[in-house]
Amino acid sequence: MHVHRFERVWLVAALSMIVLFVGTVTFGAVVAGYGMVDAEGGQVDPTDPTTSESFREPGVYNGSEAGHYDVYVETRRFAFVPGTTEPIRVPANSTVTFHVASADVLHGFEVVGTNINTMAIPGQKAVVTAEFDKAREHGIVCNEYCGEGHHDMAGTLEVIPQSEFNASAEVQ
Ligand code: CUA
């Protein structure tokens, strides 16, 4: 069977693209550690996560080890609680686990300049951990369309020096 040269070129190009796309997904899952919002975080009340056993009043908490913190964030149209009205403050040189849950519709929780980027699915808690080595400010944005105020849904994460953090005593 004679296959025209251009036909062959396109066959190779199409097959290469499939291999490339499957490769990027595999790389993300295996090497870069991208994951799904799965059962790990547990289920929460889709209208009031704070009533659920796996969630707490939104805020910053001391973690199980020194230098570790847990931050509970509620997403609601169109704010991060905390984050929007009040910035989230954590100390530099810390490991922070964010527990994110929505109180209404699907939202996103992306901390700009870090690899934190998760969906907040109603009824499901998302858990993401990151290390913050130096003091700086990060923006927080919602990247899932959640309604007419979506483009205004933003917040701030302030990574501050440990001494300043101790003095502020906002941690619970
Ligand atoms: Cu919340 Cu878009």
Side-chain angles (χ1 to χ4, degrees):
M1 185 181 72
H2 175 72
V3 181
H4 194 277
R5 189 164 63 91
F6 288 153
E7 199 83 38
R8 276 206 304 272
V9 169
W10 283 112
L11 270 173
V12 170
L15 287 174
S16 305
M17 280 164 66
I18 292 170
V19 170
L20 180 74
F21 294 155
V22 172
T24 56
V25 172
T26 309
F27 177 84
V30 177
V31 182
Y34 300 150
M36 303 294 287
V37 176
D38 57 17
E40 194 193 321
Q43 297 200 320
V44 290
D45 185 313
T47 54
D48 185 2
T50 57
T51 60
S52 308
E53 216 167 281
S54 64
F55 211 72
R56 285 171 162 180
E57 279 302 315
V60 180
Y61 293 81
N62 278 311
S64 48
E65 298 169 46
H68 286 235
Y69 297 86
D70 287 291
V71 180
Y72 286 79
V73 182
E74 207 174 79
T75 63
R76 48 173 67 243
R77 302 193 325 157
F78 299 97
F80 298 102
V81 186
T84 300
T85 312
E86 284 281 305
I88 299 170
R89 287 197 191 88
V90 295
N93 299 309
S94 63
T95 302
V96 181
T97 299
F98 293 90
H99 305 254
V100 186
S102 173
D104 43 39
V105 300
L106 180 68
H107 294 279
F109 180 79
E110 177 176 356
V111 181
V112 180
T114 72
N115 61 356
I116 300 170
N117 185 3
T118 187
M119 288 194 285
I121 303 168
Q124 181 75 53
K125 186 176 85 163
V127 181
V128 280
T129 299
E131 289 175 12
F132 295 95
D133 53 358
K134 55 175 185 281
R136 63 161 283 190
E137 195 176 292
H138 296 271
I140 303 171
V141 293
C142 174
N143 51 21
E144 297 288 341
Y145 183 72
C146 52
E148 71 279 10
H150 163 70
H151 63 286
D152 285 328
M153 186 165 168
T156 311
L157 170 73
E158 288 177 6
V159 183
I160 58 180
Q162 183 76 54
S163 53
E164 209 178 300
F165 180 79
N166 293 343
S168 73
E170 281 172 50
V171 68
Q172 301 178 54

